[in-house]
Amino acid sequence: MKGAWFRVVLPPLALFLLVAAVWQAMVMLLNVPPYVLPSPARILATVEEQAGPLVGASLWTAWAAFCGFSASLLIGTLIAFAFSQSDIIRRSMYPYAIFLQTVPIVAIAPLIIIWFGTGFPSIVFVSFIISLFPIITNATSGLTSVDSNLLDLFTLHHATRRQILLKLRLPNAVPHLVTGARISSGLSVIGAIVGEFFAGYGSAQHGLGYLIVLTSGQLKTAYLFACIGASTALGLIIFTSVGLVGDAILSRWQETRR
Amino acid sequence: MVEARDIALHYATGTVALSGLSLTLRRHEFASIVGPSGCGKSTLLRLVAGLLSPTSGDLRIDGMSPAESRAARRDVAFVFQFPTLLPWRTVAGNLQLPFELGAEPQCADPDRLQAMLELVGLAPFCNAMPHQLSGGMQMRASLARALILRPELILLDEPFGALDDMTRQRLNEDLLALWQRDRWSALFITHNVFEAVFLSERVYVMGARPGRVVAEFAIPFPHPRQAQLRAEPAFAELAGRISLALREAAS
């Protein structure tokens, strides 16, 4: 067990330290200006120095991502439910659901700002739009891709529509929904940061996306690196927590667990 | 129990799945249907279950059409080619399912559940999830689920086709013991002639394109049948004759 832990953690950690060391050496030897490429030591110092604002911005972005993710989980499941109940609804609406997947968010961001103004609601909305599609597709396929023999079994036992939904379709959709949520959780963080690019200014509190725009504009490159690091860490934390919750739920659905 | 007279089933695509098919399943009888793959064996079973309707011909279950029989809520049990268990429910939970469905869901009687689990040898595994069981044990659970409502007619669609031969023989013996106990009527589909002879009192051979019954064999071996029956010359001779009829049907 301990050996496995070492095998998993040690190699990437060693590589990380090696790259950081080479990076540090190159910056020092070649005298690279810090606004082009700050040394790891300088980035680390900035993280320490700006820990308060960084954590504050990360929490704010996490909150926005969480709201966007929750909204897409709820509304995406409801849309999928409508799709699974009616062929006409699915056929008429599905092409527009694909629109969510294909539209470049930067193209509709100005529209969102016109509608919702700058600030938190717009950010949550962008996060919601970006993370909605995987929930819709996965939940729909989970609700509709039911083993035909099981459907026959339910029919033979005179199951009502409601029983087929509650005892067959919904439980069948859970593993699919977990997969969708996993993809969606990562996207919701990206959505929140992108949202802050466009709508994150002008309020008392701000998130990582706004901080990235600000620090790059001021050529505070070390701070920018710290923001990138915080964004990555945030995405990782949210993705992993959703993954752990998903695994806990899926322990009953073992055969579809990956 | 089941009376089929000159049944035909044409699909909308124009394919003739069954034509001029007649067979009789007597009450308390165990009958098997063997036939080349694609001859419409499973289709026939779905007709009897009322999941499909014949294009023409007369199909009666206890004097009623399958639809009437279904409306009268005379439960027909169906055992599929695969265990078809709900993967998110325990073995006991899967056995409860038939009680929970329908306009008037009932509570599963725990004693009956326990007795059924013991009957199929799954009592120690009642809280196991299906994926924790072997293929043979999953099939036992599937059989138990079919039997738990004490149906008079059981339709089995190649239930042991995916199992290894040892497990299959074992389950054949267990299935026969269960049948001897309660004497439901059974229509059993297989492509394994030995299995059909071992289990049945009557074997129908089906031909393909269109699917129809081409031969009928009465299996005279008395009950209870033991595993040793498989080694007897009369068993081999009968199985051989059915195999020849099957070959003829397939060519």
Side-chain angles (χ1 to χ4, degrees):
Chain A
M1 207 53 218
K2 205 174 164 191
W5 178 244
F6 271 113
R7 271 206 306 276
V8 172
V9 173
L10 212 54
L13 190 66
L15 182 65
F16 180 81
L17 291 176
L18 183 71
V19 169
V22 172
W23 179 353
Q24 181 78 31
M26 296 300 274
V27 169
M28 284 164 72
L29 284 172
L30 302 174
N31 239 336
V32 183
Y35 63 86
V36 175
L37 185 66
S39 69
R42 190 185 281 262
I43 296 170
L44 210 61
T46 311
V47 170
E48 256 185 76
E49 197 176 294
Q50 304 288 351
L54 273 172
V55 169
S58 300
L59 287 176
W60 190 241
T61 302
W63 176 233
F66 177 77
C67 292
F69 172 65
S70 308
S72 60
L73 198 59
L74 185 71
I75 292 169
T77 308
L78 289 176
I79 292 174
F81 178 73
F83 280 9
S84 73
Q85 291 300 295
S86 157
D87 233 21
I88 294 174
I89 295 180
R90 179 165 66 237
R91 270 187 308 221
S92 57
M93 280 176 58
Y94 196 73
Y96 303 104
I98 295 173
F99 170 83
L100 288 175
Q101 174 77 339
T102 50
V103 68
I105 200 73
V106 290
I108 57 163
L111 205 54
I112 292 170
I113 292 173
I114 291 171
W115 290 340
F116 294 93
T118 59
F120 196 67
S122 289
I123 296 165
V124 170
F125 193 76
V126 172
S127 169
F128 162 68
I129 291 283
I130 285 192
S131 56
L132 182 59
F133 189 73
I135 302 278
I136 296 179
T137 46
N138 281 284
T140 305
S141 79
L143 287 166
T144 50
S145 68
V146 174
D147 179 356
S148 64
N149 283 339
L150 276 171
L151 269 178
D152 282 347
L153 179 80
F154 274 64
T155 310
L156 282 170
H157 286 295
H158 310 274
T160 60
R161 211 179 150 79
R162 198 183 135 84
Q163 285 166 344
I164 291 179
L165 180 70
L166 291 180
K167 292 179 192 284
L168 185 55
R169 291 193 188 277
L170 278 181
N172 187 68
V174 169
H176 297 255
L177 201 56
V178 167
T179 306
R182 223 173 269 194
I183 300 167
S184 199
S185 66
L187 290 175
S188 72
V189 178
I190 296 174
I193 290 172
V194 171
E196 285 163 357
F197 265 56
F198 292 95
Y201 55 88
S203 60
Q205 275 201 287
H206 51 245
L208 286 169
Y210 172 77
L211 219 50
I212 288 170
V213 176
L214 191 77
T215 52
S216 65
Q218 298 173 344
L219 284 183
K220 290 180 178 166
T221 312
Y223 201 172
L224 178 58
F225 265 97
C227 292
I228 295 170
S231 311
T232 313
L234 181 61
L236 211 62
I237 289 168
I238 291 188
F239 183 79
T240 312
S241 353
V242 171
L244 287 176
V245 172
D247 279 350
I249 296 171
L250 280 192
S251 56
R252 276 186 83 80
W253 277 254
Q254 282 257 351
E255 68 166 11
T256 37
R257 188 176 185 175
R258 62 227 89 198
Chain B
M1 189 80 209
V2 177
E3 187 80 41
R5 282 289 152 264
D6 211 17
I7 293 213
L9 181 76
H10 301 201
Y11 285 123
T13 53
T15 314
V16 180
L18 302 173
S19 173
L21 185 146
S22 300
L23 66 76
T24 305
L25 174 70
R26 288 157 191 83
R27 185 171 288 276
H28 307 310
E29 186 179 54
F30 198 120
S32 290
I33 299 169
V34 294
S37 40
C39 74
K41 302 185 293 277
S42 297
T43 309
L44 173 64
L45 225 52
R46 292 173 62 83
L47 282 172
V48 177
L51 291 167
L52 286 173
S53 298
T55 315
S56 66
D58 195 35
L59 179 61
R60 297 273 147 193
I61 295 163
D62 256 356
M64 290 184 272
S65 75
E68 286 166 350
S69 172
R70 263 178 66 69
R73 309 207 34 129
R74 304 176 58 94
D75 271 303
V76 172
F78 205 105
V79 181
F80 299 89
Q81 198 166 353
F82 302 100
T84 321
L85 302 168
L86 297 177
W88 52 84
R89 286 200 183 198
T90 61
V91 170
N94 270 286
L95 292 200
Q96 270 161 17
L97 182 71
F99 292 99
E100 298 170 15
L101 301 179
E104 295 143 25
Q106 321 156 36
C107 241
D109 173 5
D111 292 340
R112 190 151 148 198
L113 215 70
Q114 188 59 32
M116 183 50 74
L117 283 166
E118 271 161 25
L119 206 58
V120 295
L122 283 178
F125 302 98
C126 66
N127 289 322
M129 302 302 285
H131 68 88
Q132 295 169 317
L133 304 181
S134 67
M137 292 207 287
Q138 289 182 12
M139 212 58 234
R140 280 170 198 276
S142 191
L143 275 177
R145 182 183 59 194
L147 294 171
I148 196 142
L149 289 183
R150 297 179 184 147
E152 290 178 20
L153 174 62
I154 301 189
L155 308 170
L156 303 106
D157 187 4
E158 270 183 55
F160 308 136
L163 301 177
D164 63 89
D165 209 42
M166 272 306 297
T167 312
R168 177 204 286 259
Q169 291 188 10
R170 203 49 184 277
L171 278 166
N172 281 175
E173 288 147 31
D174 294 347
L175 179 64
L176 211 50
L178 288 171
W179 174 76
Q180 266 216 287
R181 188 171 167 274
D182 295 324
R183 290 273 177 163
W184 15 267
S185 319
L187 214 47
F188 185 96
I189 286 188
T190 178
H191 47 228
N192 185 315
V193 171
F194 295 97
E195 180 173 65
V197 173
F198 186 77
L199 288 172
S200 320
E201 292 170 290
R202 192 171 303 276
V203 173
Y204 290 97
V205 178
M206 273 180 76
R209 275 175 288 275
R212 68 213 181 279
V213 171
V214 295
E216 180 184 339
F217 293 85
I219 311 297
F221 307 119
H223 291 280
R225 294 176 184 171
Q226 309 293 345
Q228 290 77 10
L229 173 65
R230 295 195 184 90
E232 280 177 27
F235 181 89
E237 196 257 316
L238 195 49
R241 272 170 48 212
I242 296 175
S243 293
L244 283 177
L246 188 58
R247 254 177 96 134
E248 218 164 279
S251 58

